[in-house]
Amino acid sequence: MEQRERRRFAERLSDTELASQLPDGRAEHLVRRFPPLQAAAGLQLYAGDGRQALLSALYQAVMQRAPELVPTPQDLAEAAELGEESVIDLLLAEVDRDIRLLLDEPPERLWALLGLGLEGAPVAGVRQILDALLTIADDGHAPGTRVRMLTGPVAGRIATVVSVVWGSSGPPVAYRTKDEVAGGEFGAATGDLAVLAGQECLGR
């Protein structure tokens, strides 16, 4: 994240122009922006071969099935000239959320929608990319964030966020976390966890 913050304007402009180009440029931009992460306890996040191809196919699918959500190429091009990827994120917020919700569909329905045979596709890695992207605007905890559980039988345990549960709008409604000691996954409402101090923001 620190390296991204130090980018010169020309570099930010190039990144933003790429981010504005649907579907392939946007997919490439997000894969670069959210590279694989080695999280606590050896947990690998944002990973998997074929992430860019899957993202591109998902953007293409939404462009075809819900064109009313997609900004015009002119609007995207004009926004890209500002050199601020957050402006592109705002324009594409509904598209990005629609894609993220698609990834919660049963695999057979998702594959039928995409028209591709994607057995072994990196769904988890792409889901985490979109989770991180959406938490930037909606004040959530991106995958890889270490938290302390506050309630229930797991109170006091340290865990890592592995995915986010979204509604049709608004901030996260819950999280899936992985216990750093026992290794099991469990759900947590937004008020059931606290972010550990001293962590770098993962919504980069």
Side-chain angles (χ1 to χ4, degrees):
M1 179 180 178
E2 184 177 342
Q3 183 176 358
R4 287 184 60 80
E5 290 178 343
R6 292 199 304 263
R7 289 172 300 164
R8 294 172 297 179
F9 179 74
E11 293 173 313
R12 297 201 310 271
L13 182 61
S14 177
D15 285 344
T16 306
E17 288 175 344
L18 185 66
S20 70
Q21 297 167 12
L22 295 173
D24 298 337
R26 180 68 170 170
E28 182 180 348
H29 167 80
L30 291 179
V31 169
R32 290 183 183 179
R33 186 173 167 186
F34 301 98
L37 172 70
Q38 189 74 33
L43 187 62
Q44 186 79 7
L45 303 173
Y46 305 95
D49 294 335
R51 288 169 299 142
Q52 185 173 324
L54 178 53
L55 272 166
S56 184
L58 287 162
Y59 276 105
Q60 185 65 52
V62 171
M63 290 168 69
Q64 292 175 349
R65 82 181 195 121
E68 70 280 2
L69 299 181
V70 183
T72 67
Q74 181 178 349
D75 286 343
L76 287 167
E78 290 176 355
E81 293 175 358
L82 300 174
E84 295 292 340
E85 59 196 16
S86 61
V87 178
I88 302 297
D89 293 346
L90 183 61
L91 280 176
L92 291 173
E94 289 185 272
V95 175
D96 293 333
R97 186 178 291 257
D98 197 58
I99 288 173
R100 174 59 186 84
L101 294 176
L102 280 178
L103 290 167
D104 289 333
E105 295 284 352
E108 61 276 8
R109 185 172 177 182
L110 179 60
W111 302 159
L113 175 67
L114 298 180
L116 298 170
L118 294 176
E119 184 176 352
V123 174
V126 169
R127 185 185 291 124
Q128 288 156 357
I129 287 173
L130 289 160
D131 282 341
L133 176 66
L134 293 172
T135 57
I136 294 171
D138 287 307
D139 195 27
H141 310 315
T145 302
R146 299 180 72 218
V147 298
R148 184 183 303 278
M149 308 310 298
L150 300 177
T151 61
V154 293
R157 291 189 188 179
I158 304 301
T160 299
V161 172
V162 293
S163 67
V164 184
V165 181
W166 299 94
S168 59
S169 62
V173 297
Y175 296 92
R176 293 293 302 172
T177 65
K178 186 165 185 177
D179 189 311
E180 291 186 8
V181 177
E185 286 194 16
F186 48 87
T190 55
D192 291 345
L193 46 80
V195 176
L196 298 186
Q199 289 203 101
E200 178 180 325
C201 174
L202 293 167
R204 52 202 186 280

